[in-house]
Amino acid sequence: MTLSNDDPRLLSYVLGELDEAESREIEAAIDANPEIRAELDALRMTAEMLREGLAERAPKELPAIQRKVLEEATREAEKPKVAPVRRRFLRPTLLAAAAAALVAISLGVMQQRRQTEVAKEQALPDFGTPEPQPKEKKKSTAPPPKDDTKIDEATRREALKMLQEERARQGSEVAARIPKPRRLSARSKPRADENPFIYTTSIARASFPLDVDTASYSLVARYFQEAGRRPPSSLVRVDELVNAFPYEDPDPVGDAAIAARAEVDTAPWNHSNRLVRLALKTAPVDPSIRPQANLVFVIDESQGFAKDPDKLPLLQAALRRLVSRLDDRDRLTLIAYGGASDEPHLPPTPGDDKPRLLTAIDKFAPSGAGGSGGSMERAFKEAQAHFVAGGVNRVFLATDDHFAADPEQGRLTALIREKAAAGISLSTLGFGPMDGPVGQTLKALAEEGKGSFAQITSPDAARRELVDVALGARTPIARDVRVEVDFAPGYVRSFRLIGNEDRTGPEREFLDAWKGPVDLYAGQAVTALYELEPRPDDSGGSEAPPVPYLLTLRVHYNDASGQTQEIEVPLRDEWRREVSTDFYFAAAVAGFGLLLRDSPYKGNLTLADVVTMARKNLGADPGGHRARFVNLLELVEFTPGVAAMQAAPKKPPRRKGSLCPPGDSLCSDL
Amino acid sequence: MPSEPTSHWVLLALSRYEAPLLRYATAIVGSAQAADVVQDTFLRLCNQDQAAVEPHLRAWLFTVCRNRALDVRRDKRHVESVAEVDEIMPDNHPGPSEALERREAMRRVLGALDTLPERQREAVLLKFSGDLSYQEIAEVLGTSVSNVGFLLHTALRALREHVEKKDRETERRSR
């Protein structure tokens, strides 16, 4: 047959669309005509480039949050069509709360400002025990379990045990490499002891920190996964462990910036006490609205920074990406840190002048000349010159662990603070490992500058921090957020904030144990846990309030328009409790922390209890974080020296008697 | 085994078609909004009768995704073009010059996508991002199988010509 180079069947052949007979025809033609072969090769090449190119720019999977929505939707679709149980939500006044309390009310109360109805609780099915998939390191003796390969459970556990013992043998040097992070100003020295129970007759109003950190969790996990040993208890911060996991609390509804929730159930480690979970969640990030951006990048121009592919090249790639999203309202400036001259590498340039922006980004290179030291001042000057009211005005400092701060750091800090107050924030980007003091310095600078510090180790992180964050996802949606927890002395005899030991010294007032109010950003969440000791039933007799009312969580904040908002969530101790999987999962994580710290309050809790509780409460687990925690627990079980965690419980220390004011006979009587 | 959340047929479809749909949607509305479009597509799938949709699931998904993506694009003032400047992260480990040339060619091919007539471009995206068969593309675009073959053929020829033309231009300039 004669086949022209321009026959559409050639492409169909390449794409596998021809039937057998037709394919044979083409193959015959190939043999007869080398031009056809060349044409086919060219078509294959183009097809491959299209496939690859289209794949490269697209995300591989949906963001966790959207996946979660889908998972919920499928559950919803599967549910039998029965009218869902509506929860009652209370109006934000104590009066109304008291009135409503006469009605049967379930316990997990989620409440927003001025609204009486919120999405109903998901009736989560019991997902049972997932097939654990431990993450193996390179020298694994255990076969890596996969979804489709069936491995005998006993064999797998045996292998895991051997692996963990092997790690423990080699572990001492590994453990030495795991950083011992220094804490920043907002925290005091790490404490090994625990926050005490405090009598409500002495202090009935408490608060908890909102600037949560999650560093402890990854450190703890590294101790088990890399060094095969138990982490020192000063590294275990229960609040950081608990906040390392995403929870599925409902988003704020309507215009509210924050949603607050309170739940209570029996404390898993002490059945006569209650565990309270208080959660705050801000509205999710809305990508369609973004404020005008005035961004100044101060870039390390040392040779080391420029040569490492994970540093300057990564930054440049992310900046290019950032530029593709800028428009004529935005301004971008580039300045070399410690450069020979103060002149910006790229003066403030509108975001639609893409050729100029891209050229400047690509041409950024170390000059090798000595620095003049005024880069930061210059950066703030440029940011000031193009200040946009209501927009994102931000200076970014991009550097690595060789960053040498200005000798006159005091002056720099003062400048940063002054500019932060004037609305120009400073964010710091640490490329590469940030375990050392430089990481701490960068973090401290970002704190002063009311910006964020981010460690950039991967393109994903670069993209997130430079594109999404820079473009305004980090504008606070609630400013000056304060929380108060008012315990009801009639029902609560004493309470104890779990974790946060380095922020709530026993001698200090609870309300100002950390730096004042904080700003919350879109997509943030905070979980705090309290253990309560209920007042014995017979103590008050008829004077006890008719409703077992435990506490009121109050959140005050200023919304985007500067208006003060208040959320009030009362929490009652019902006989029939409806509590979310989030509650029990958080309880499991906290229990794990108490065991690791060998806390006097761990009661009769065992590691097995923690495993059971975590497994039963995986929830939808969109990012797989909870499943990974369960895997970690399995490793913990096989880690030598952990048996000590199962030892008989110590006697809890006596309550903090000194908190009773002198002369308060009621308090000291208790 | 107790019922796992992933056993739901929509979630199975999600795991299979999430990546191709994201590729496809990204090419139309840009990566920022692709996830929304794909999420929407699957949310709609949740309300469908499994028996009715399953036999031609892929075509159904891409049809819905396409409609949704085109809606979004209409609403958007500024279209994030496929040839969005350097959306692709440059290679951190530049290989031999061949690999670089190939990347460069890839960029040009993608850039040239925008010069194609709408129908051709759509066919190319469905084929190379979604890996649909001619039959499925025909279903989505509401045309015949042979016409799909023709659209793709013409489109690929045009893309190659475009790239070669650019090649000649660069050669001329470098001389």
Side-chain angles (χ1 to χ4, degrees):
Chain A
M1 119 184 161
T2 49
L3 194 63
S4 107
N5 259 350
D6 198 24
D7 195 306
R9 279 178 299 171
L10 289 179
L11 180 62
S12 308
Y13 173 72
V14 166
L15 296 175
E17 287 280 346
L18 293 189
D19 63 32
E20 223 176 292
E22 287 171 313
S23 297
R24 265 203 298 278
E25 266 182 54
I26 301 278
E27 277 150 20
I30 297 171
D31 293 336
N33 186 351
E35 266 179 46
I36 300 277
R37 182 187 296 277
E39 176 67 16
L40 284 172
D41 284 345
L43 281 173
R44 276 200 197 96
M45 173 102 163
T46 312
E48 205 185 313
M49 286 194 297
L50 280 169
R51 273 202 190 95
E52 210 177 296
L54 287 167
E56 199 157 337
R57 68 182 80 226
K60 297 263 179 303
E61 52 186 17
L62 287 177
I65 188 158
Q66 285 174 319
R67 176 174 285 271
K68 199 182 89 190
V69 169
L70 283 173
E71 280 164 1
E72 270 162 23
T74 58
R75 265 204 299 278
E76 206 57 37
E78 261 186 349
K79 262 187 202 163
K81 303 278 177 248
V82 182
V85 182
R86 280 281 152 124
R87 281 163 169 257
R88 287 293 304 257
F89 291 93
L90 307 166
R91 294 194 63 89
T93 64
L94 266 179
L95 195 69
L102 298 171
V103 188
I105 293 153
S106 60
L107 233 89
V109 178
M110 172 80 210
Q111 170 150 2
Q112 272 91 22
R113 171 177 57 93
R114 252 196 271 155
Q115 82 163 70
T116 51
E117 200 255 298
V118 160
K120 62 222 167 289
E121 249 330 289
Q122 290 284 339
L124 290 173
D126 182 357
F127 296 139
T129 309
E131 202 66 1
Q133 295 172 34
K135 271 202 180 152
E136 298 301 3
K137 295 274 171 285
K138 57 234 162 234
K139 270 190 276 174
S140 152
T141 46
K146 280 214 173 132
D147 290 332
D148 47 350
T149 50
K150 276 265 173 276
I151 292 167
D152 179 15
E153 177 67 12
T155 321
R156 198 182 62 79
R157 286 178 68 87
E158 188 55 36
L160 206 57
K161 185 165 181 238
M162 274 161 55
L163 170 70
Q164 199 60 358
E165 282 167 0
E166 176 61 24
R167 279 182 187 147
R169 268 194 290 283
Q170 313 173 339
S172 54
E173 318 145 36
V174 183
R177 283 206 301 274
I178 298 176
K180 311 237 174 335
R182 283 192 317 207
R183 291 294 153 170
L184 296 163
S185 51
R187 291 160 177 269
S188 60
K189 271 209 196 137
R191 280 172 41 207
D193 64 330
E194 306 267 316
N195 287 331
F197 275 95
I198 293 173
Y199 282 120
T200 50
T201 42
S202 164
I203 295 176
R205 172 173 291 185
S207 183
F208 54 87
L210 298 175
D211 50 340
V212 293
D213 202 338
T214 59
S216 179
Y217 180 66
S218 61
L219 287 174
V220 166
R222 282 181 68 183
Y223 263 87
F224 286 111
Q225 285 162 352
E226 293 172 23
R229 61 190 57 209
R230 192 177 157 177
S233 50
S234 64
L235 277 187
V236 183
R237 288 174 163 72
V238 182
D239 52 307
E240 293 189 1
L241 302 186
V242 169
N243 280 294
F245 294 90
Y247 295 100
E248 291 152 32
D249 299 301
D251 286 328
V253 177
D255 290 339
I258 300 182
R261 180 188 212 184
E263 302 178 283
V264 64
D265 199 357
T266 307
W269 43 83
N270 182 343
H271 291 284
S272 56
N273 283 357
R274 302 280 181 276
L275 180 66
V276 170
R277 174 174 177 268
L278 303 178
L280 260 57
K281 189 178 192 182
T282 58
V285 179
D286 181 353
S288 67
I289 307 163
R290 79 165 176 85
Q292 218 172 318
N294 166 29
L295 311 173
V296 181
F297 282 84
V298 183
I299 304 169
D300 189 326
E301 63 127 52
S302 67
Q303 292 284 352
F305 187 78
K307 284 209 174 122
D308 190 331
D310 284 329
K311 292 174 181 174
L312 183 60
L314 188 57
L315 172 66
Q316 286 170 321
L319 282 174
R320 275 193 283 267
R321 173 89 167 216
L322 171 66
V323 164
S324 72
R325 303 257 178 97
L326 296 179
D327 59 35
D328 55 349
R329 303 169 308 147
D330 306 305
R331 291 285 180 285
L332 182 70
T333 311
L334 303 180
I335 294 176
Y337 182 81
S341 99
D342 276 350
E343 272 317 299
H345 176 71
L346 172 74
T349 304
D352 58 353
D353 193 356
K354 303 220 190 291
R356 197 160 152 225
L357 294 168
L358 291 171
T359 316
I361 290 166
D362 285 336
K363 287 222 172 120
F364 190 90
S367 66
S372 60
S375 334
M376 292 305 289
E377 281 84 334
R378 181 65 193 232
F380 280 113
K381 208 173 125 200
E382 296 292 359
Q384 190 72 66
H386 293 271
F387 189 89
V388 272
V392 179
N393 298 281
R394 181 162 299 172
V395 174
F396 286 82
L397 173 60
T399 185
D400 61 7
D401 56 349
H402 296 294
F403 173 76
D406 207 299
E408 290 170 86
Q409 209 185 340
R411 216 186 60 197
L412 178 61
T413 313
L415 173 73
I416 290 169
R417 207 175 293 146
E418 178 203 321
K419 292 297 179 185
I424 302 174
S425 55
L426 172 75
S427 282
T428 50
L429 307 166
F431 285 77
M434 278 292 136
D435 299 327
V438 169
Q440 302 298 329
T441 310
L442 290 180
K443 201 169 175 185
L445 289 177
E447 280 201 350
E448 292 293 353
K450 292 213 168 180
S452 57
F453 162 71
Q455 181 181 352
I456 312 271
T457 47
S458 66
D460 267 347
R463 201 171 333 186
R464 190 176 58 240
E465 293 303 326
L466 277 111
V467 183
D468 303 342
V469 174
L471 288 181
R474 298 289 290 186
T475 309
I477 59 171
R479 293 177 194 270
D480 294 341
V481 187
R482 296 163 190 274
V483 284
E484 287 167 10
V485 187
D486 280 317
F487 294 95
Y491 263 93
V492 180
R493 190 185 201 192
S494 63
F495 66 91
R496 162 180 127 74
L497 176 61
I498 297 175
N500 293 298
E501 281 79 18
D502 47 357
R503 315 224 233 185
T504 55
E507 318 306 332
R508 291 195 251 165
E509 286 298 309
F510 258 58
L511 265 181
D512 47 22
W514 48 87
K515 282 202 291 196
V518 301
D519 295 346
L520 290 183
Y521 300 89
Q524 277 194 304
V526 181
T527 284
L529 298 175
Y530 282 94
E531 186 176 346
L532 310 185
E533 182 199 18
R535 196 173 287 284
D537 251 356
D538 53 356
S539 65
S542 60
E543 279 169 42
V547 193
Y549 159 70
L550 295 175
L551 60 88
T552 306
L553 168 64
R554 279 194 195 81
V555 184
H556 306 264
Y557 66 94
N558 294 331
D559 64 15
S561 57
Q563 287 214 312
T564 305
Q565 306 290 354
E566 187 179 326
I567 307 170
E568 202 168 78
V569 184
L571 180 63
R572 268 162 310 276
D573 194 9
E574 299 287 329
W575 178 73
R576 214 177 86 81
R577 301 188 182 117
E578 270 180 59
V579 184
S580 67
T581 51
D582 285 345
F583 177 91
Y584 296 111
F585 189 80
V589 177
F592 176 60
L594 294 180
L595 286 176
L596 285 183
R597 284 176 68 89
D598 199 15
S599 162
Y601 301 105
K602 70 181 181 183
N604 46 11
L605 190 74
T606 64
L607 190 59
D609 298 337
V610 172
V611 175
T612 317
M613 204 167 12
R615 279 202 173 145
K616 263 199 195 151
N617 295 284
L618 289 177
D621 196 17
H625 302 279
R626 297 187 185 187
R628 280 196 288 278
F629 176 67
V630 171
N631 292 343
L632 177 70
L633 289 177
E634 197 169 40
L635 272 187
V636 171
E637 213 179 312
F638 293 125
T639 303
V642 166
M645 280 165 45
Q646 315 282 4
K650 291 184 199 162
K651 216 172 167 249
R654 273 200 60 78
R655 262 178 214 86
K656 193 93 188 108
S658 63
L659 284 172
C660 287
D664 183 349
S665 57
L666 181 62
C667 175
S668 39
D669 276 354
L670 296 162
Chain B
M1 271 306 264
S3 77
E4 283 220 2
T6 46
S7 64
H8 196 278
W9 68 284
V10 171
L11 293 180
L12 287 177
L14 175 67
S15 64
R16 192 166 310 153
Y17 296 116
E18 175 180 37
L21 283 168
L22 280 169
R23 286 200 290 272
Y24 177 61
T26 300
I28 300 178
V29 296
S31 52
Q33 282 180 298
D36 291 348
V37 169
V38 173
Q39 182 196 32
D40 240 43
T41 306
F42 281 103
L43 281 177
R44 278 168 206 220
L45 185 62
C46 289
N47 301 326
Q48 298 299 313
D49 179 16
Q50 179 177 4
V53 173
E54 202 119 74
H56 55 123
L57 180 59
R58 184 147 50 176
W60 188 95
L61 284 171
F62 276 86
T63 307
V64 172
C65 182
R66 171 173 176 262
N67 291 340
R68 194 67 204 103
L70 294 179
D71 283 351
V72 167
R73 196 174 64 174
R74 254 196 298 281
D75 293 345
K76 247 175 39 167
R77 191 174 55 84
H78 167 76
V79 178
E80 208 177 329
S81 126
V82 177
E84 193 177 352
V85 193
D86 218 330
E87 264 287 295
I88 301 161
M89 291 278 187
D91 221 338
N92 278 340
H93 310 284
S97 63
E98 244 172 69
L100 283 180
E101 266 170 32
R102 187 164 179 284
R103 274 194 95 69
E104 185 51 38
M106 190 161 97
R107 248 173 41 174
R108 286 214 203 110
V109 171
L110 291 176
L113 268 182
D114 286 347
T115 65
L116 292 178
E118 191 56 31
R119 298 286 281 179
Q120 291 182 22
R121 184 170 181 269
E122 291 225 50
V124 167
L125 293 181
L126 288 167
K127 179 71 226 173
F128 296 101
S129 65
D131 204 20
L132 271 64
S133 68
Y134 281 18
Q135 175 65 47
E136 287 164 328
I137 297 175
E139 253 177 76
V140 175
L141 294 182
T143 184
S144 69
V145 173
S146 60
N147 195 33
V148 170
F150 174 76
L151 283 173
L152 283 172
H153 168 74
T154 321
L156 258 71
R157 195 178 48 194
L159 288 178
R160 282 165 55 200
E161 273 168 14
H162 191 90
V163 171
E164 280 157 20
K165 199 171 80 198
K166 274 274 177 70
D167 265 341
R168 281 197 296 279
E169 274 168 23
T170 18
E171 262 171 50
R172 217 175 302 142
R173 228 179 296 140
S174 62
R175 244 173 244 154

